[in-house]
């Protein structure tokens, strides 16, 4: 471990390498986590199928490459496909669990996650798939960085900006925010909250789908890879807190960087442990902060 | 409600009766029906192992078909046909063990073929052992299968610790040829954290120790592996002479891709499953040039037998018999070899008694298109080596061991990224 840390000091170029690579993938983590925060915050549904929707989006991209469509163009396609699918899932399942207690929604979305995994396995088989964009590698000095990672970050940023603008300015965006603040008051004021919920869930699915396209281009996808994306999204949202968009962005990029550094320093087997360890630290710090705050109020 | 309860009770009794009757009636003489010998196998036709499970099933079927078409199995002067009863274990060990019980207890199967993967074999072996039913398996390579003292388990394939050990030997040879000491060689290892890959790792560590090589990286990759950036960055920093990787198909796909993306310049790289992951067609001949891939079997080897002819002839026959194969996976070839072991054992034992058959299998010493087969007292095959192939201009050429090599190993590798 100390050998690995000393490498980073002796040859700082590798520290920069890890930093850049981490930042470049952080954008994808932000997308999936933002979607989760949206559904969690607005509907109080903890969507355990989050990662599986990401993977589903990845398979849409893969299917597009089979049809000869470039995976970049698959991004809007996956967005639309997953939006429609998300709406359908809401109407069929989520609608019935929105008002129930937490465990009902956890169970329902867990079931959904299993369903997506097995359906993908039946259709595409268990081998890993890649939607190859064919952009090659970018050389900056001694650094070699896959160009697709830059493209991915750019696309993630564009998508994120669009969503933020939409939430701020559009009528539906305002309705979503109003519902998240107080669903009863929103209903009194004439907002069709059922429709808002449906739209929110569908939007989340669409964001996941887009993130999945990026995952399929940058890494690879397999029917059972959803879980790790779900875990990342939950970690980010938990660390950042609900309804804290800047927090989600910082936590997402931070997670990308920290995963790379901890993999380098402690070895790949401890990368996830290091990430969860960091989450524990963040939660402890928060707890103490709140504790102090409470004393002041008292 | 009362009615319902009574109904339920009656139904339970009826079900129990049916099951017990079925159990009592079935096993009578089901092992050999008329002139057909029944073999049984739980195999992964759905679930995460289904791709290779189906390869294995095709291998079994081709073996059965060829044996039946060429005079069948001769026992006691009479010719018998072979037939295999399959159940789908859904790639889950618990289901595999259940199905093995069912094959033995309900269907009366007395002769077993193995499932796919070490995990499933581990689940089924205790069952066949309990009922003293011999099982010839072709898809479970884990070394730990052969340290349990199983008496009825036999495997035609080379065990997992041999997978990449030959690459260490090759690195030592090359070091000597270049006037360096083998102990100067620096090895980087990246292995998935699962029983199979850790077995492979144990073999590499043993051999590296034997040559006194220095292990500079020893990373264990997570199961849901899709990013190796941090490990490969370490490789860039520490510049090892040999990089060995094992993580099933997904590990090979991830590694081959990111090695090219990050322009890793390690002179020698060896990884398992490059063929199953189709790395050449996915990432191009240039990017994968020089990567070493171990294999249980290759169609270019000069192994042969009387039934299938040479390895190349088996390859051609397999492609003709099953659609959609560009390359014949070794999983299929070794499955066929397992059926051949059964035929050989029946004929030598000249009996259907499972104890006599177990002893006959234990005494197996035969040459097949898949290589020599001779079992150690522990049940693993010691007559067939793993071979190492290198990706050379987009082709997989055998480079080690020297006895079977068709080309010379290219060193250092010269990929075009």
């Amino acid at each position: 471990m100390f050998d690995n840390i000393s490498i980073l000091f002796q040859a700082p170029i590798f520290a920069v390498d890890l930093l850049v690579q981490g930042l470049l993938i952080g954008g994808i983590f932000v997308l999936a986590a933002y979607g989760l925060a949206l559904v969690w915050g607005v509907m109080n549904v903890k969507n355990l199928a989050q990662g599986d929707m990401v993977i589903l989006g990845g398979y849409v991209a893969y299917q597009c490459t089979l049809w000869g469509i470039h995976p970049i163009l698959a991004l809007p396609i996956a967005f639309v496909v997953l939006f429609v699918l998300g709406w359908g899932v809401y109407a069929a399942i989520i609608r019935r669990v929105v008002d129930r207690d937490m465990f009902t929604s956890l169970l329902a979305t867990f079931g959904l996650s299993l369903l997506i995994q097995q359906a993908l396995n039946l259709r595409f088989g268990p081998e890993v798939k890649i939607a190859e964009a064919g952009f090659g590698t970018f050389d900056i000095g001694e650094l070699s960085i896959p160009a697709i990672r830059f493209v991915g970050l750019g696309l993630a940023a564009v998508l994120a900006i669009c969503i933020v603008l939409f939430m701020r300015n559009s009528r539906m965006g305002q309705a979503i925010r109003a519902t998240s603040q107080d669903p009863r008051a929103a209903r009194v004021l004439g907002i069709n909250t059922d429709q808002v919920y449906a739209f929110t869930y569908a939007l989340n699915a669409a964001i996941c789908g887009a993130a999945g396209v990026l995952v399929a281009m940058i890494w690879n996808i397999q029917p059972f890879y959803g879980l790790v994306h779900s875990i990342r999204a939950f970690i980010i949202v938990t660390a950042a807190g609900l309804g804290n968009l800047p927090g989600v962005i910082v936590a997402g990029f931070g997670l990308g960087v920290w995963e790379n550094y901890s993999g380098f320093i402690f070895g790949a087997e401890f990368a996830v442990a290091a990430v969860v360890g960091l989450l524990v630290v963040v939660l402890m710090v928060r707890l103490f902060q709140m504790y102090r705050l409470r004393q002041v109020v008292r | 409600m009362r009615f319902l309860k009574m109904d339920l009770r009656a139904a339970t009794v009826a079900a129990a009766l049916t099951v017990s009757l079925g159990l009592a009636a079935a096993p009578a003489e089901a092992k050999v029906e008329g002139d057909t010998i029944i073999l049984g196998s739980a195999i992964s036709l759905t679930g995460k192992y289904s791709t290779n499970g189906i390869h294995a099933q095709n291998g079994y079927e081709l073996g059965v078909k060829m044996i039946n078409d060429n005079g069948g199995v001769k026992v006691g002067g009479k010719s018998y046909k072979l037939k295999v009863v399959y159940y789908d274990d859904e790639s889950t060990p618990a289901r595999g063990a259940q199905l093995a019980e069912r094959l033995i207890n309900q269907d009366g199967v007395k002769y077993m073929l193995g499932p796919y993967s070490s995990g499933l074999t581990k689940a089924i072996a205790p069952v066949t052992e309990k009922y003293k039913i011999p099982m010839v398996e072709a898809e479970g390579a884990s070394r730990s299968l052969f340290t349990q003292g199983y008496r009825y388990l036999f495997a035609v394939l080379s065990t997992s610790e041999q997978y990449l050990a030959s690459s260490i030997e090759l690195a030592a040879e090359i070091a000597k040829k270049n006037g360096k000491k083998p102990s100067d060689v620096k090895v980087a290892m990246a292995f998935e954290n699962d029983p199979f890959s850790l077995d492979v790792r144990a073999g590499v560590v043993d051999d590296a120790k034997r040559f006194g090589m220095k292990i500079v990286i020893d990373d264990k990759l997570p199961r849901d592996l899709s990013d190796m950036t941090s490990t490969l960055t370490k490789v860039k920093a520490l510049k090892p002479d040999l990089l060995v990787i094992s993580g099933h198909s997904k590990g090979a796909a991830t590694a081959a891709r990111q090695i090219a993306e990050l322009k890793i310049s390690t002179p020698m790289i060896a990884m398992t499953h490059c063929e199953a992951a189709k790395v050449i067609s996915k990432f191009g001949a240039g990017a994968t040039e020089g990567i070493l891939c171990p294999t249980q079997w290759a169609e270019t080897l000069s192994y042969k037998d009387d039934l299938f002819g040479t390895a190349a002839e088996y390859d051609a026959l397999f492609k003709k018999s099953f659609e959609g194969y560009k390359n014949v996976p070794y999983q299929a070839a070794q499955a066929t070899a397992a059926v051949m072991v059964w035929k050989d054992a029946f004929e030598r034992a000249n009996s259907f008694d499972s104890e006599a058959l177990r002893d006959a299998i234990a005494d197996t010493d035969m040459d097949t298109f898949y290589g020599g087969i001779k079992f150690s007292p522990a049940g693993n095959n010691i007559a067939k080596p793993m071979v190492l192939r290198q990706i050379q201009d987009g082709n997989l050429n055998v480079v080690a061991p020297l006895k079977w090599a068709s080309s010379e190993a290219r060193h250092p590798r010269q990929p075009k990224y």
Side-chain angles (χ1 to χ4, degrees):
Chain A
M1 184 175 109
F2 295 108
D3 295 354
N4 293 330
I5 296 175
S6 75
I7 295 172
L8 293 181
F9 284 107
Q10 280 163 19
I13 183 75
F14 295 113
V16 178
D17 198 351
L18 289 171
L19 181 72
V20 174
Q21 303 266 14
L23 287 176
L24 289 174
I25 49 168
I28 302 175
F29 299 168
V30 171
L31 278 185
Y34 178 70
L36 182 73
L38 196 67
V39 168
W40 193 338
V42 176
M43 306 163 68
N44 199 22
V45 167
K46 285 134 199 93
N47 188 26
L48 282 185
Q50 193 76 358
D52 300 288
M53 288 176 167
V54 171
I55 297 299
L56 190 60
Y59 275 101
V60 172
Y62 172 71
Q63 183 62 51
C64 285
T65 57
L66 292 186
W67 286 329
I69 303 170
H70 193 276
I72 294 276
L73 300 176
L75 197 100
I77 299 176
F79 194 88
V80 173
V81 169
L82 268 284
F83 188 91
V84 173
L85 204 86
W87 199 292
V89 166
Y90 175 82
I93 303 168
I94 308 295
R95 208 153 88 98
R96 290 160 227 280
V97 303
V98 167
D99 298 328
R100 303 280 182 85
D101 62 308
M102 185 178 81
F103 288 105
T104 316
S105 78
L106 281 179
L107 271 181
T109 51
F110 181 59
L112 181 65
S113 141
L114 292 180
L115 199 72
I116 296 176
Q117 287 172 12
Q118 296 299 341
L120 287 175
N121 190 30
L122 272 182
R123 171 70 184 78
F124 294 99
E127 301 301 325
V128 289
K129 305 284 184 211
I130 294 164
E132 189 63 59
F135 288 151
T137 300
F138 222 57
D139 289 312
I140 317 165
E142 273 183 67
L143 298 183
S144 306
I145 291 166
I148 183 63
R149 294 196 175 197
F150 285 106
V151 178
L153 182 66
L155 290 172
V158 170
L159 190 66
I161 291 168
C162 290
I163 293 166
V164 168
L165 289 179
F166 171 81
M167 293 298 278
R168 271 225 185 119
N169 302 328
S170 75
R171 191 107 189 111
M172 187 46 120
Q174 287 168 346
I176 290 175
R177 286 188 295 141
T179 310
S180 96
Q181 278 174 10
D182 190 337
R184 241 181 98 202
R187 233 170 283 149
V188 170
L189 291 173
I191 293 174
N192 181 351
T193 50
D194 190 45
Q195 208 177 354
V196 167
Y197 286 156
F199 189 90
T200 308
Y201 197 81
L203 182 64
N204 169 46
I207 295 171
C208 285
V213 175
L214 301 178
V215 169
M217 287 193 292
I218 293 175
W219 292 337
N220 47 36
I221 46 169
Q222 203 250 1
F224 306 104
Y225 275 2
L227 185 63
V228 67
H229 293 285
S230 293
I231 291 175
R232 281 197 189 108
F234 272 89
I235 287 178
I236 293 170
V237 175
T238 314
L242 283 177
N244 177 2
L245 183 57
V248 167
I249 293 175
V250 171
F253 284 110
L255 183 70
V257 173
W258 178 241
E259 253 187 33
N260 265 352
Y261 272 108
S262 52
F264 189 95
I265 294 170
F266 307 116
E269 67 266 41
F270 295 115
V272 178
V275 165
V276 180
L278 189 68
L279 176 71
V280 171
V281 172
V282 169
L283 290 180
M284 298 279 278
V285 169
R286 286 230 169 149
L287 191 73
F288 286 126
Q289 275 175 346
M290 292 230 226
Y291 187 63
R292 270 205 343 246
L293 198 71
R294 227 176 288 155
Q295 276 181 334
V296 171
V297 173
R298 209 186 279 161
Chain B
M1 261 330 261
R2 254 193 94 103
F3 278 108
L4 196 71
K5 259 189 197 154
M6 288 210 17
D7 271 2
L8 258 177
R9 208 176 298 160
T12 320
V13 172
L17 269 176
T18 331
V19 169
S20 54
L21 277 176
L23 278 180
E29 275 300 298
K31 52 184 183 175
V32 183
E33 288 171 355
D35 64 345
T36 309
I37 302 172
I38 311 285
L39 305 171
S41 171
I43 195 97
S44 307
L45 302 176
T46 57
K48 62 180 171 182
Y49 297 137
S50 54
T51 316
N52 284 325
I54 290 166
H55 292 335
Q57 189 189 29
N58 289 343
Y60 287 149
E61 282 303 299
L62 187 60
V64 166
K65 181 173 179 298
M66 279 297 279
I67 289 168
N68 289 348
D69 290 353
N70 288 285
V73 181
K74 288 189 188 63
V75 181
K78 195 180 156 199
S79 174
Y80 292 86
K81 297 234 180 291
L82 288 177
K83 191 185 147 199
V84 187
V85 180
Y86 299 101
Y87 288 121
D88 175 15
D89 61 33
E90 297 156 22
S91 308
T92 50
R95 187 90 183 113
Q98 261 175 21
L99 291 173
E101 290 262 1
R102 175 171 172 172
L103 280 164
I104 295 167
N105 276 333
Q106 251 162 288
D107 302 341
V109 167
K110 292 264 185 282
Y111 324 113
M112 291 281 281
L113 288 164
Y116 177 76
S117 87
S118 295
L120 266 300
T121 313
K122 260 180 206 169
I124 289 177
V127 178
T128 49
E129 203 67 16
K130 181 171 88 185
Y131 293 104
K132 300 189 182 342
I133 300 291
M135 171 158 79
V136 181
E137 62 106 345
E139 315 286 348
S142 177
R143 175 159 67 170
S144 55
L145 281 166
F146 309 100
T147 52
Q148 312 289 325
Y150 290 140
R151 242 186 124 238
Y152 296 87
L153 176 72
F154 300 92
V156 299
L157 73 178
S158 307
T159 42
S160 48
E161 81 280 0
Q162 300 172 39
Y163 271 59
L164 285 171
S166 45
S167 69
I168 297 282
E169 215 146 298
L170 188 67
E173 272 170 35
I174 288 172
K176 268 187 222 157
K177 213 162 64 182
N178 295 341
K180 286 203 276 180
K181 279 186 291 183
S183 56
D184 292 338
V185 174
K186 285 188 287 179
V187 186
M189 311 195 297
F191 289 99
E192 190 185 331
N193 220 345
D194 79 305
F196 168 80
S197 300
L198 292 181
D199 264 12
V200 178
R201 177 181 172 278
V204 169
V205 171
D206 281 355
D207 263 36
K209 266 201 197 132
R210 194 153 58 85
F211 288 108
M213 294 176 180
K214 191 164 181 249
I215 294 169
V216 291
I217 298 174
D218 182 7
D219 266 13
K220 295 186 192 71
L221 309 168
R223 266 171 191 235
D224 34 27
L225 163 75
S226 54
D227 192 8
M228 287 181 60
T229 310
S230 57
T231 304
L232 290 176
T233 308
K234 236 184 291 185
V235 169
K236 272 184 153 177
L238 293 168
K239 299 197 170 49
D241 303 293
L242 168 62
L243 168 63
V244 283
I245 299 163
S246 172
H248 300 274
S249 306
K250 57 181 187 277
T254 309
R257 177 181 196 188
Q258 296 198 329
I259 282 169
E261 280 182 345
L262 301 175
K263 303 195 173 173
I264 301 297
S265 57
T266 310
M268 190 168 167
I269 296 178
M271 62 173 81
T272 61
H273 295 84
C274 0
E275 198 181 354
K278 302 195 177 100
V279 295
I280 304 174
S281 60
K282 264 190 200 153
F283 310 113
T288 53
E289 170 72 23
I291 292 178
L292 295 162
C293 314
T295 183
Q296 293 277 358
W297 174 83
E299 71 281 3
T300 52
L301 294 169
S302 53
Y303 302 140
K304 63 177 176 208
D305 59 49
D306 295 335
L307 187 63
F308 285 98
T310 63
E313 280 164 338
Y314 174 85
D315 184 76
L317 177 69
F318 191 93
K319 283 178 192 158
K320 211 173 69 185
S321 308
F322 300 99
E323 267 177 41
Y325 283 97
K326 242 189 246 162
N327 288 302
V328 176
Y330 66 73
Q331 286 85 355
Q334 59 207 25
T336 306
V339 181
M340 294 173 70
V341 168
W342 267 119
K343 170 187 151 72
D344 181 63
F346 275 118
E347 294 186 342
R348 274 185 297 111
N350 206 14
S351 152
F352 294 119
D353 177 56
S354 41
E355 256 336 284
L357 277 163
R358 192 223 83 97
D359 294 342
I361 297 171
D363 291 338
T364 301
D365 185 359
M366 60 195 286
D367 285 318
T368 69
F369 73 91
Y370 172 70
I373 298 175
K374 186 174 162 62
F375 299 111
S376 78
N380 57 317
N381 183 6
I382 44 172
K384 181 191 78 70
M386 282 300 286
V387 292
L388 203 55
R389 294 195 288 184
Q390 188 174 37
I391 300 177
Q392 300 181 337
D393 308 318
N395 298 312
L396 280 162
N397 295 333
V398 178
V399 294
L402 285 176
K403 190 180 166 196
W404 308 109
S406 63
S407 333
E408 206 177 323
R410 291 183 187 168
H411 187 87
R413 43 188 282 281
Q414 274 157 344
K416 287 178 263 323
Y417 294 137

